[in-house]
Amino acid sequence: MKDLLKLKSSLLEEIENILNAQVKIEAHASAVYLAMSAWCDDQGLDNASKFFSNQSDEERAHMLKIFNYISARGGKPISPEVTNIPQDFESFRGVFEQALEQEMFVTEQINEIADRCAKAKDYVTFNFLQWFLAEQVEEEYVVRRILELFDVIGEEGTGRWEIDRHLVKVAFDGE
Ligand code: FEO
């Protein structure tokens, strides 16, 4: 019975493939954030470490959301191979700049998938993606706010620890 239902997959192959590619991107983002969390922890930047650890969990949740969606539509989700995770980072600010680049890349990808769904007239997946687009706005916003702390406080002297202290308000507000 199950196999018979699978034959009735309502996902186009093209859409299934790009969703699986996104599963991999989210898994990669989760692993990179975990590495960032460990690096910050090693530097004694506890709040930044917690922030990236939370981000890592969120990315895994995003991955699962897409993974389960593919399955629910009768497609075949692929558990991704995740490689090339950087373990070292040049600077505290650099970690957040890289985080912002990563988020901007994800936004671009989700936009692209939404565009492909619209062209393929897959409005069910298009609708599913709206949550991710809204989430990206929020994620980019928070990292940009944190980067502003670097501009305002500066990293000299005890600046790094001050930034880490103030980061709580920006990153965990509403938690
Ligand atoms: Fe799941 Fe922050 O992208």
Side-chain angles (χ1 to χ4, degrees):
M1 187 63 181
K2 183 134 199 248
D3 281 341
L4 195 64
L5 287 174
K6 283 274 183 194
L7 285 176
K8 292 186 181 165
S9 169
S10 44
L11 268 186
L12 292 170
E13 197 183 339
E14 175 206 354
I15 302 298
E16 181 175 329
N17 289 344
I18 48 174
L19 287 175
N20 267 319
Q22 191 61 30
V23 164
K24 191 177 172 104
I25 289 170
E26 303 287 346
H28 188 266
S30 175
V32 172
Y33 278 142
L34 198 59
M36 288 174 169
S37 173
W39 186 87
C40 290
D41 182 61
D42 190 51
Q43 303 277 318
L45 302 160
D46 295 349
N47 294 320
S49 175
K50 179 171 183 269
F51 171 72
F52 285 122
S53 171
N54 287 355
Q55 289 301 108
S56 177
D57 287 348
E58 281 196 17
E59 298 306 342
R60 181 174 156 76
H62 297 171
M63 177 196 82
L64 289 175
K65 214 173 164 95
I66 303 170
F67 191 93
N68 292 333
Y69 174 80
I70 297 170
S71 192
R73 297 288 312 279
K76 187 177 186 329
I78 295 168
S79 181
E81 219 172 283
V82 179
T83 53
N84 290 327
I85 307 303
Q87 303 296 333
D88 262 316
F89 302 92
E90 298 238 319
S91 68
F92 191 22
R93 184 188 182 112
V95 173
F96 282 95
E97 284 174 346
Q98 196 171 322
L100 180 57
E101 272 172 27
Q102 179 166 286
E103 289 306 332
M104 288 168 70
F105 172 70
V106 170
T107 305
E108 236 179 79
Q109 295 306 305
I110 306 270
N111 250 327
E112 177 62 26
I113 301 172
D115 187 56
R116 300 265 290 271
C117 288
K119 283 182 179 131
K121 295 191 173 12
D122 179 355
Y123 294 108
V124 178
T125 306
F126 183 85
N127 185 47
F128 165 75
L129 292 171
Q130 301 312 301
W131 180 88
F132 286 87
L133 288 169
E135 177 78 358
Q136 283 312 115
V137 171
E138 174 64 21
E139 296 208 327
E140 283 191 27
Y141 173 75
V142 170
V143 184
R144 284 201 178 92
R145 287 290 312 278
I146 294 172
L147 278 168
E148 280 169 17
L149 294 176
F150 286 84
D151 294 332
V152 174
I153 300 171
E155 285 187 76
E156 301 74 33
T158 56
R160 278 157 53 105
W161 285 270
E162 282 298 312
I163 293 167
D164 193 57
R165 197 162 69 84
H166 281 86
L167 193 143
V168 175
K169 184 88 186 87
V170 180
F172 306 120
D173 227 19
E175 244 190 27

